Amino acid sequence: MGKLQVIDHPLIQHKLTIIRDKNTGTKYFREVVNEIARLLAYEVSREMPVEDVEIETPLVKSVQKQLAGKKVVIVPILRAGLGMVDGMLDLIPAAKVGHVGMYRDQETMEPVEYFVKLPSGLEERQMLVVDPMLATGGSAVAAIDALKKRGANNIKFVCLVAAPEGVKVLEEAHPDVDIYTAALDERLNEKGYILPGLGDAGDRLYGTM
Ligand code: PRP
Ligand code: URA
């Protein structure tokens, strides 16, 4: 079973409170989403493998560590996932960025795939799927389905706010995927919104309320 990690560092809790506040405007919301994504990237990269490399310091030859292992691909689920990409790239600048477009049908709440563009050789890559919200889990499951269908086999899911319902659905559909979230909230409302949540992440990022 994939691990669920709630990254409730004090800085993250403080920043989450800012974006949960309905009085936070688009510009500040966008900035703080990226700041939280940067902090999450630090935690997500904690278990990246390292290897020995011989270098010379100004004084002696020395064996030190450098990152090894799979090349990283950050995959935002459009559109709100885009809001986390720059923050993640701040810490993992060499990562490639793939895109998966999903929206929730407002009537059925089912995810609809409308765009997929990914780098080649997914079998050899560490995929980080990013989306601020894990609500019913439908979008995350469908996005990860789309990646696995194209060969990805090493996937982590990174979000800001998760509902217990969505965590359960994602864990059941993709038990190999670790989930990193800044907060695990109480529940969904009857319209599939997370409570207390932060509202519609895409609308708040892009000012489309
Ligand atoms: C939001 C959010 C997730 C999805 C989560 O996107 O960014 O992708 O809902 O809900 P789920 O877990 O119930 O699938 P939305 O469909 O509103 O599209 P947007 O990013 O274009 O705003
Ligand atoms: N998508 C959002 O943007 N917010 C929610 O609360 C649920 C799904």
Side-chain angles (χ1 to χ4, degrees):
M1 181 65 83
K3 277 182 295 184
L4 169 66
Q5 297 197 47
V6 181
I7 313 297
D8 54 358
H9 187 288
L11 287 174
I12 292 184
Q13 291 187 47
H14 179 85
K15 291 175 192 299
L16 259 183
T17 301
I18 293 169
I19 59 171
R20 287 184 191 280
D21 187 335
K22 69 175 186 182
N23 294 315
T24 298
T26 299
K27 176 174 179 287
Y28 194 28
F29 186 93
R30 205 180 284 150
E31 286 169 7
V32 177
V33 166
N34 268 311
E35 288 173 10
I36 300 173
R38 197 177 304 138
L39 294 168
L40 289 173
Y42 182 75
E43 284 301 325
V44 171
S45 55
R46 186 176 286 280
E47 290 168 21
M48 281 182 178
V50 289
E51 63 187 6
D52 288 345
V53 57
E54 189 176 301
I55 55 151
E56 283 185 51
T57 75
L59 302 172
V60 286
K61 281 192 175 168
S62 174
V63 175
Q64 298 294 333
K65 301 293 179 194
Q66 68 180 10
L67 285 172
K70 292 175 186 280
K71 297 274 183 279
V72 174
V73 185
I74 298 166
V75 184
I77 303 179
L78 306 180
R79 133 196 91 131
L82 284 176
M84 296 173 66
V85 172
D86 287 346
M88 303 285 294
L89 282 173
D90 284 344
L91 284 208
I92 317 173
K96 295 184 186 293
V97 181
H99 295 87
V100 175
M102 294 279 163
Y103 68 87
R104 291 198 308 179
D105 184 294
Q106 296 291 331
E107 298 292 309
T108 64
M109 268 184 244
E110 289 296 315
V112 182
E113 178 183 307
Y114 64 89
F115 184 76
V116 179
K117 186 77 182 172
L118 298 162
S120 59
L122 297 190
E123 298 80 3
E124 302 304 320
R125 299 185 188 277
Q126 166 71 66
M127 316 295 289
L128 301 179
V129 179
V130 301
D131 191 323
M133 312 304 279
L134 177 62
T136 64
S139 305
V141 168
I144 293 170
D145 283 343
L147 299 186
K148 287 188 173 174
K149 205 165 69 186
R150 292 164 176 85
N153 54 32
N154 193 334
I155 302 171
K156 296 179 192 290
F157 181 80
V158 188
C159 63
L160 304 186
V161 181
E165 295 90 331
V167 170
K168 186 162 181 285
V169 166
L170 180 51
E171 283 178 340
E172 283 175 6
H174 294 294
D176 55 310
V177 172
D178 292 340
I179 304 170
Y180 295 77
T181 185
L184 183 60
D185 273 12
E186 286 162 25
R187 64 181 175 88
L188 297 178
N189 73 7
E190 62 290 347
K191 292 189 170 153
Y193 279 89
I194 300 175
L195 298 178
L198 49 75
D200 187 307
D203 283 349
R204 295 198 64 194
L205 276 165
Y206 300 111
T208 49
M209 288 79 84

